Structure formats: C-alpha cells, structure tokens
Amino acid sequence: MRSVNPSDDIAKEKRRSTSRLNHRPKGKGKSSRRFAIAMAAALVTSSLLLELTAEPNAHAAANVQHSVSNTSVRSTATNAERKLHYTAVEGAYYYTVALRSDGSVWTWGRNLWGELGVSEKVRYRHTSGPTRIPELSNVIAISAAGGGINAAVQADGTVWEWGAGKLPSKVESIHTAKDVVTGFFTVALLQDGTVWSWQRPTAHGIDSDDLLRKPHAISGLKDVIQVGSAGLHGYALKKDGSVWTWNEPDEPGKVLSKPTKIKSLTNISSITSSDSSLLALDRNGKVWGLDEKGKAFAFHYDFKVKKMDGNTQYMLLLTTSGEVYSYGRSVNGKEGKVNHLSGITDISAGYYHSLALSSDGTVWGWGSDKYEEAGAPATSSGGMVYKPVQAKIGTDVYLNSELFQSMYASVETAKTVQLPIKAIATALGAEFEVHQVEGSLDYYTLNYDNRTITIRPNETQYVITSADSPEEKVMQLPEPLNNFSGATTVPFEVLRGLGLNVSWDSEKARLTIDDADQKDSGS
C-alpha cells in the first residue's frame, strides 16, 4: 500500500507556491514583514523538497500531564468534568490520532485506505466519533504520518505500528524506546539517548520485507533528547542544544549517511518538521527553519514561542501565554491569531485541519472537516470548521466485564450512546436482522434468548415480544436508530429490552453491558 498522499496534490503544491508568497501575517511594522519573507522562503523550500519525497510525515507527541486552566471556548460539562482526558494529539492526512490519559489510543477521520488501522478489510468514508485502536494499552507517545502509517510507544519500551490497512503490530528489536516519529521512514528515540530507524514496505513500494532496512542504530548519535524526520532526512536534538542530521537510503541495499552537525543551529530546545524541512525552536523562544541548502534562517514575530508544528502549506505557533498563531496557507484561510482558543498546551498541524490540546485535556479542531477529522460535524458549507470545535472523548464498551472492540465507534450523542448493533449482537450471541418489503427497508429485529425486539426506522419506540408471554411491550427511546460511519446503530437503552443490565457512566466514558443471569449468579 503506497502513501495516501496522491501525486496530483504534490503538483498542486508546486502551482500554489507562487501564490503563497503573497500571504502576509496580520500585524504591523518590520517584524511582520520579516516574518512574511521568512515564511515565503520556507514554503518555497518545502515545495521543492516535497517533489523528492511523496510521503508526508508527522511528529511524535509525548504523554504529558497538564495543569487545569480555562479556555475561551468552553468545554461541555460531560468532557470538562471527566477524569479521563487527552494527553496528546496528532493531525495527519484527513484524520487524527489522540492519546488518552489511561494509555489508550483513539482515532477519527477518513478511513478510505485503512489509515485508521482499525480493520484490515473494512473501509469507510468517515467516523462519527473516536474509535479505539485495538490491542494498544499503556501508551506513552504517539505519531501519525500523512502516508497513513502511525506508531505508538508503550510504557514497556516497545514500538507498535498500524495503518494503511494493517492492525497494530510490534516492531522487532526495539525494547527500550521512549519516543517515535513516523514518516517516509520511522525513527525511535531510546531511553539511553541513542537513535534507531527502519523502513516500511508502504513507504517504499516494496512488497518484500526482506529488501527493507530493519531497525538499526544510527551510529555516532548519543545524548539525544528528541528526534524528527522530513522526507529522507533524519534529525536528532542533543542535550547540548545541537542538531544533527543524516540521510536515509532511497533504495534497498544502500547504506545510511553518517550523522553530521547542523552548524547554523545552536542553543535549540525542540525540533519538529514541516513535511520536507526542519523547524527548530531555540531556548529564547525563536523559531528557525532550514533553506534548500540546509542553512538556518530565523522567523521574526512579536511574541515568544513555546511550541511549533507545521507542514508544506503552513505553520502553527504556540506562545508561552497559551495562544495559537497560524502562518502560511492556513487551513481556514486566515493568518495570525487563532481566535476562541486560550490555555493551549500543544498543537498539531494536520494537512488540511489543525488541532490544539487545552490544559484541561480537551482537543479542539478547525479547518477541513469533510471526514469529521476536526472531531465534530462540519459547521460551515464545504465541510469546513472556522471556529474550533471540541472533539469527543472516546467511549469504551464492556460486555460481561470484557472490553468490547469494534472497527465502528460507539457514539455519544446529546441524549444517549449509539451502539454499532451488528457487532454488539455478534459479541452477545444475539441475532440482528434487517427486514425488507419489495426491496425497501421495513423494520429490524433483535433476537436474544427468548426475547425479540422489533424496531422501525425513524421511530422512537420499540416492541418486545417473548416466548414466555403472549403480551407485547412497547418501550420508548430517547432517539431513533441511526447510521454512524456506515454502521447501523441503536440507542443503548434497546439492550435493556433484552433483559440485559446496561449502565452508562459519562464521567468515565464507559458503557457496561452485563448478562442478567451471569450477574445474578455472580459469574
């Protein structure tokens, strides 16, 4: 499976590079003009370098704890009061990956090429809520790439990769990682400050794993505190504030180049990449880029930067006061300060949508939202979000005390939680059937034990019949059945009609379903 970043998008970027030169950051004076000139140079550099590497890359985000503060966009009570929260978020090519405080990983957005990694066979256009990545727990760091490849580091130091139609699998030979970055190749930072990298079949169009470079240490690198990648270039930031780079081989059998120091970058505190170039933040809060010759140049602005992120089209800057600024060809068509956000602790520049993590652990998204990659339904025509919207927290479902995993999300609505009923029925040992009359949908039935539930589309009630009684029961629902992410869903209250014990804990984002007989017997 090759990168989901199509070649025609690369051609478009080349044509657009000239128009980007006319973009100017909001503001007055020489500093704004200097920033505009520097940003234009960076965009031209990125466009030129992008031709060499068709696959975008994204950046790892560490699992960090956040203090509580207010944001100008108020969280809903259901999210703000929960103990569960997000600790990291990554925007990729029309989708998002987020790390939750309990060490679970969640994703939302487009899944046309299996980029979400929740199923090897099933594809769907978009998600309607966060979907849990299977088999991942105790995760401390995540990374998402535009090519549909994602990675995570578990607390035990192992690295897992998924996406492009593949479920999570453990990377061999890596046992003491603390961070990871995916892109045209994958880079891992180990706990001892050394760096390893490896190649993937999907990034190189090679079917055989035997032809790819396996995980291998980058010789000569030690005391590293952060890693990055852009195209075929790897980057490492050392404790002393120096930045080192090496080139990955573009063909099987070729060897790595020896890491060299970027002499024009000193006193650096963090690094990230803008697809095919590097961004570096120094200890004075100034952002630096690299031109086409690999020489550093400074971006100029009137505030102090705490974090930055970017890609070919634009750059996000997070100030020490928690405000977010966007420069370049921003996802909402506006440069300067992103309104309605404050108290932000982290940012991520997706390719057509942007994300921010607030100090209370909520995720906010804006920009393109055709696939609900921003985290909520689009609020403007054309599938756009101009005012940041809050993403939902992922909903866990437990069946008889076992975590239920489905490729389809369980979606919390304003009135209930909608469950993917076919998958739920299979897990319960129930039978869900669709009934048609002359080729048109008429009603659904759900059979379990000796009970049958009949539900019609668009109705807020259902009928219960039982083999033990000739009487019918009519029960009310908070809302009708729905269809989320291509799956038929039912309000969780329907399951109570089957004699199951069902409870919803909004603070823990947990729905519990227990067989009444098992619960009564203490099993």
Side-chain angles (χ1 to χ4, degrees), residues 25-26 35 70-73 89 301 303-310 314-327 330-332 334-350 353-359 362-366 386 388:
K26 298 285 185 179
F35 188 101
N70 294 324
T71 60
S72 57
V73 179
V89 64
Y301 37 80
F303 44 80
K304 190 173 182 180
V305 175
K306 180 169 62 175
K307 290 187 178 181
M308 74 280 172
D309 196 18
Y314 72 106
M315 178 170 61
L316 287 179
L317 301 175
L318 174 61
T319 71
T320 53
S321 60
E323 296 178 325
V324 179
Y325 288 79
S326 181
Y327 291 112
S330 299
V331 295
N332 59 358
K334 180 183 177 182
E335 291 188 304
K337 182 180 177 181
V338 180
N339 295 324
H340 311 292
L341 287 176
S342 64
I344 300 302
T345 59
D346 205 358
I347 50 177
S348 181
H353 71 295
S354 297
L355 298 155
L357 180 69
S358 69
S359 55
T362 53
V363 168
W364 302 90
W366 66 98
Y386 293 100

Side-chain angles (χ1 to χ4, degrees), residues 69 86 259 410 471:
S69 67
Y86 291 116
S410 298
E471 297 182 0

Side-chain angles (χ1 to χ4, degrees), residues 229-513:
S229 71
L232 291 172
H233 302 288
Y235 297 100
L237 171 63
K238 291 189 176 184
K239 289 180 181 179
D240 61 5
S242 63
V243 180
W244 296 68
T245 184
W246 72 94
N247 291 336
E248 289 281 329
D250 58 353
E251 294 179 7
K254 288 188 176 182
V255 297
L256 292 162
S257 68
K258 184 179 179 180
T260 58
K261 184 178 180 180
I262 302 177
K263 296 180 180 179
S264 55
L265 287 177
T266 59
N267 201 33
I268 301 301
S269 61
S270 67
I271 58 173
T272 188
S273 64
S274 58
D275 275 350
S276 45
S277 187
L278 181 75
L279 293 174
L281 178 67
D282 68 22
R283 290 164 182 166
N284 296 317
K286 179 180 289 187
V287 177
W288 299 78
L290 294 179
D291 62 20
E292 65 274 13
K293 295 182 179 180
K295 186 177 180 180
F297 63 88
F299 293 96
H300 296 278
Y301 37 80
D302 299 322
F303 44 80
K304 190 173 182 180
V305 175
K306 180 169 62 175
K307 290 187 178 181
M308 74 280 172
D309 196 18
N311 59 39
T312 305
Q313 302 187 80
Y314 72 106
M315 178 170 61
L316 287 179
L317 301 175
L318 174 61
T319 71
T320 53
S321 60
E323 296 178 325
V324 179
Y325 288 79
S326 181
Y327 291 112
R329 193 171 181 273
S330 299
V331 295
N332 59 358
K334 180 183 177 182
E335 291 188 304
K337 182 180 177 181
V338 180
N339 295 324
H340 311 292
L341 287 176
S342 64
I344 300 302
T345 59
D346 205 358
I347 50 177
S348 181
Y351 292 86
Y352 301 107
H353 71 295
S354 297
L355 298 155
L357 180 69
S358 69
S359 55
D360 66 356
T362 53
V363 168
W364 302 90
W366 66 98
S368 175
D369 197 36
K370 293 187 295 185
Y371 308 98
E372 294 196 31
E373 60 267 37
T379 55
S380 300
S381 60
M384 290 294 295
V385 168
Y386 293 100
K387 179 181 177 181
V389 293
Q390 183 180 336
K392 298 173 182 176
I393 201 80
T395 297
D396 279 321
V397 177
Y398 281 82
L399 296 180
N400 293 323
S401 302
E402 301 256 342
L403 178 64
F404 166 75
Q405 180 69 53
S406 172
M407 68 193 75
Y408 299 106
S410 298
V411 180
E412 181 183 358
T413 69
K415 296 181 179 180
T416 184
V417 175
Q418 292 269 354
L419 302 176
I421 188 56
K422 289 183 180 179
I424 290 284
T426 299
L428 285 170
E431 186 177 52
F432 179 74
E433 293 183 309
V434 179
H435 301 268
Q436 297 182 338
V437 174
E438 297 181 352
S440 297
L441 174 63
D442 190 25
Y443 64 96
Y444 304 95
T445 56
L446 183 61
N447 301 291
Y448 181 73
D449 201 4
N450 63 346
R451 299 190 187 194
T452 298
I453 287 178
T454 303
I455 319 174
R456 294 186 182 277
N458 304 316
E459 292 189 0
T460 56
Q461 63 181 26
Y462 63 94
V463 177
I464 306 173
T465 57
S466 173
D468 300 330
S469 172
E471 297 182 0
E472 294 184 347
K473 273 187 183 178
V474 179
M475 306 295 291
Q476 295 298 315
L477 291 172
E479 61 188 28
L481 279 72
N482 212 318
N483 186 292
F484 287 117
S485 308
T488 300
T489 62
V490 301
F492 75 84
E493 290 87 353
V494 167
L495 299 181
R496 290 173 176 162
L498 296 176
L500 299 170
N501 294 311
V502 187
S503 61
W504 164 239
D505 188 330
S506 60
E507 290 189 1
K508 295 181 179 179
R510 175 180 293 190
L511 186 75
T512 303
I513 305 169

Side-chain angles (χ1 to χ4, degrees), residues 84-87 98-104 106 132 393-394 396 509:
L84 281 178
H85 57 278
Y86 291 116
T87 60
L99 176 60
R100 207 170 65 173
S101 56
D102 61 354
S104 60
W106 299 75
R132 185 171 182 148
I393 201 80
D396 279 321

Side-chain angles (χ1 to χ4, degrees), residues 168-182:
S169 61
K170 186 166 67 172
V171 177
E172 300 300 327
S173 306
I174 305 292
H175 307 290
T176 59
K178 68 176 183 179
D179 206 353
V180 65
V181 172
T182 59

